[in-house]
């Protein structure tokens, strides 16, 4: 029997699992062959596959009414992409009694402060398939929705999240929602708090250059890792049930330095390809700390401190944090609005 590749090793010989980060069905099929146990999608990835491969989605496009308003049209197209992936993952979901096999479906990122709209969308998404993990942004408004959803048994992936304060707030609201569910005799929804480690690095790199901060690029490449490692340590210390989901990896180092954690890694096809190359170290490095001198230099950047310290931000500040604003804008302008603009046959 052939020895497992890196991704298979990760999923079968360490506590770490991984989700495929793409909405393309052919790429997903390849990811499943390498032991992916879930799928992350977002409006950007959904727009990319719908617009880039219309022949794959011709039946889905034909099934959407031209009379729908733009937001509902985009939601129906999102449903076509998400439910196709959900069908591919359903055997895993069934075989593990809902432990694995989830597919993310993200609500309209332009509604990140609208509790009522997000709640209604989350309930509709939940009805699409049993293995949907509804993606909500980690804003104060969405945290309220998250707790209610978990209490109703709806699984949530909390995205547009980059910081220790955000994932701690997510975990606390999941804990509160779970307690409400159990008190009502309901099975709580699961929760996956995202840490977009690469997007945090990208943002801090621009901030550091603008301020002429005394940090090297090698330091900035470890900012997201430092946040993920600290968050993971706090999750273990506090006994949270939800599992961190690092995403937006920028290189193999984001994966290899977190290997061995009880986390779910979101890995895009380009990073998967690099991890399948020879020479990738098969070591559990989650307990290997970021060097103290690197942390000292990073802590000269106030925006890193806000991300790294557990009390670095209050929930009301999450929506104004730089990476949150730029990611919501990208997911809206280069994702959701492009889906709304797709011409139907």
């Amino acid at each position: 029997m052939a020895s497992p590749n890196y991704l298979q090793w990760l999923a079968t010989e360490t506590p770490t699992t991984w989700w495929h980060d793409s909405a393309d069905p052919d790429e997903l099929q390849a990811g499943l062959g390498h032991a992916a146990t879930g799928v992350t999608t977002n409006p950007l990835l959904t727009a990319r596959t719908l617009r880039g491969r219309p022949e794959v989605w011709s039946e889905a496009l034909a099934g959407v009414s031209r009379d729908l308003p733009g937001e509902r049209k985009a939601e129906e197209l999102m449903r076509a992409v998400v439910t196709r992936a959900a069908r591919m993952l359903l055997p895993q979901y069934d075989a593990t009694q809902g432990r694995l096999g989830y597919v993310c479906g993200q609500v309209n990122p332009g509604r990140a402060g609208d509790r009522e709209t997000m709640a209604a969308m989350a309930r509709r998404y939940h009805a699409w398939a049993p293995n949907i993990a509804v993606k909500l942004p980690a804003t104060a408004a969405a945290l309220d929705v998250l707790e209610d959803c978990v209490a109703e048994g709806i699984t949530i992936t909390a995205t547009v999240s980059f910081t220790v304060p955000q994932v701690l707030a997510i975990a606390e609201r999941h804990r509160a929602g779970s307690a409400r569910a159990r008190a009502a005799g309901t099975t709580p929804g699961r929760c996956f708090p995202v840490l977009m480690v690469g997007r945090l690095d990208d943002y801090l790199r621009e901030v550091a250059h603008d301020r002429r901060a005394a940090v090297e690029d090698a330091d900035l490449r470890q900012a997201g890792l430092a946040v993920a490692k600290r968050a993971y340590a706090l999750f273990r210390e506090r006994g949270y049930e939800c599992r961190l989901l690092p995403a937006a990896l920028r290189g193999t180092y984001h994966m290899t330095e977190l290997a061995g954690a009880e986390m779910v890694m979101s890995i895009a096809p380009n990073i998967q390809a690099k991890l399948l190359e020879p020479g990738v170290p098969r070591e559990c490095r989650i307990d290997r700390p970021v060097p103290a001198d690197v942390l000292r230099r990073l802590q000269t950047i106030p925006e890193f401190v806000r991300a790294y310290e557990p009390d670095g931000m209050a929930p009301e500040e999450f929506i104004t944090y730089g990476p949150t604003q730029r990611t919501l804008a990208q997911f809206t302008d280069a994702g959701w609005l492009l889906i709304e603009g797709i011409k139907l046959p």
Side-chain angles (χ1 to χ4, degrees):
M1 180 178 178
S3 61
N5 60 44
Y6 180 87
L7 294 171
Q8 293 166 339
W9 167 81
L10 190 75
T12 60
E13 299 185 31
T14 81
T16 309
T17 56
W18 72 277
W19 289 4
H20 178 84
D21 189 9
S22 162
D24 183 276
D26 292 340
E27 291 176 344
L28 170 55
Q29 191 62 55
L32 292 175
H34 297 308
T37 61
V39 185
T40 53
T41 70
N42 59 46
L44 185 67
L45 296 173
T46 300
R48 187 175 296 163
T49 188
L50 286 169
R51 295 171 67 90
R53 302 192 64 192
E55 72 284 356
V56 174
W57 303 105
S58 57
E59 184 176 345
L61 294 175
V64 176
S65 171
R66 293 184 177 185
D67 297 328
L68 288 174
E71 186 174 36
R72 290 305 297 267
K73 168 188 169 184
E75 184 177 320
E76 286 302 303
L77 291 171
M78 179 78 70
R79 179 169 71 166
V81 173
V82 170
T83 55
R84 180 166 180 167
R87 289 192 294 272
M88 296 172 72
L89 270 294
L90 191 58
Q92 282 198 49
Y93 177 86
D94 288 339
T96 61
Q97 292 78 51
R99 186 173 60 87
L100 305 175
Y102 286 95
V103 177
C104 295
Q106 187 165 342
V107 303
N108 184 350
R111 301 283 197 165
D114 185 337
R115 289 167 174 79
E116 292 73 19
T117 298
M118 287 191 289
M121 292 186 80
R123 293 181 180 107
R124 290 197 297 271
Y125 282 30
H126 175 65
W128 290 350
N131 55 333
I132 302 296
V134 180
K135 261 190 170 181
L136 296 171
T139 62
L143 288 172
D144 291 342
V145 178
L146 183 153
E147 181 180 326
D148 288 345
C149 284
V150 170
E152 295 173 23
I154 299 173
T155 291
I156 299 294
T157 297
T159 188
V160 194
S161 174
F162 317 86
T163 70
V164 172
Q166 284 176 295
V167 296
L168 292 180
I170 292 162
E172 287 293 337
R173 298 303 286 268
H174 176 254
R175 178 173 280 175
S178 296
R180 287 169 54 190
R182 293 183 180 112
T186 300
T187 300
R190 295 174 184 266
C191 184
F192 302 94
V194 171
L195 277 171
M196 302 180 107
V197 290
R199 286 179 178 265
L200 178 62
D201 292 355
D202 297 344
Y203 172 69
L204 293 175
R205 186 172 291 110
E206 291 187 13
V207 171
H209 289 172
D210 185 61
R211 297 181 181 176
R212 297 181 178 176
V215 295
E216 302 293 332
D217 192 66
D219 299 329
L220 295 165
R221 281 164 51 99
Q222 298 188 71
L225 289 172
V227 166
K229 285 174 182 278
R230 187 166 204 191
Y232 182 63
L234 289 167
F235 268 50
R236 286 193 291 181
E237 177 185 306
R238 299 182 185 186
Y240 293 132
E241 293 182 47
C242 47
R243 295 188 70 180
L244 287 167
L245 202 165
L249 312 189
R250 295 295 184 255
T252 58
Y253 59 94
H254 274 143
M255 178 62 259
T256 59
E257 299 311 306
L258 298 175
E262 288 188 40
M263 294 181 180
V264 181
M265 302 296 299
S266 176
I267 310 178
N270 64 317
I271 303 298
Q272 293 175 38
K274 293 176 182 179
L275 289 167
L276 293 174
E277 293 176 359
V280 179
R282 300 189 181 192
E283 301 174 355
C284 292
R285 295 179 173 178
I286 182 58
D287 293 323
R288 183 182 297 184
V290 171
D293 61 320
V294 172
L295 278 176
R296 282 195 298 271
R297 289 189 291 271
L298 288 171
Q299 286 171 326
T300 65
I301 306 172
E303 294 304 286
F304 172 76
V305 175
R306 295 180 75 197
Y308 185 72
E309 294 297 334
D311 59 354
M313 283 185 285
E316 293 74 21
E317 299 176 89
F318 294 164
I319 199 168
T320 64
Y321 190 52
T324 299
Q325 280 296 303
R326 69 195 300 178
T327 301
L328 286 172
Q330 184 190 33
F331 283 179
T332 300
D333 297 338
W336 193 272
L337 293 179
L338 287 184
I339 299 172
E340 287 190 12
I342 290 174
K343 292 183 178 179
L344 300 174

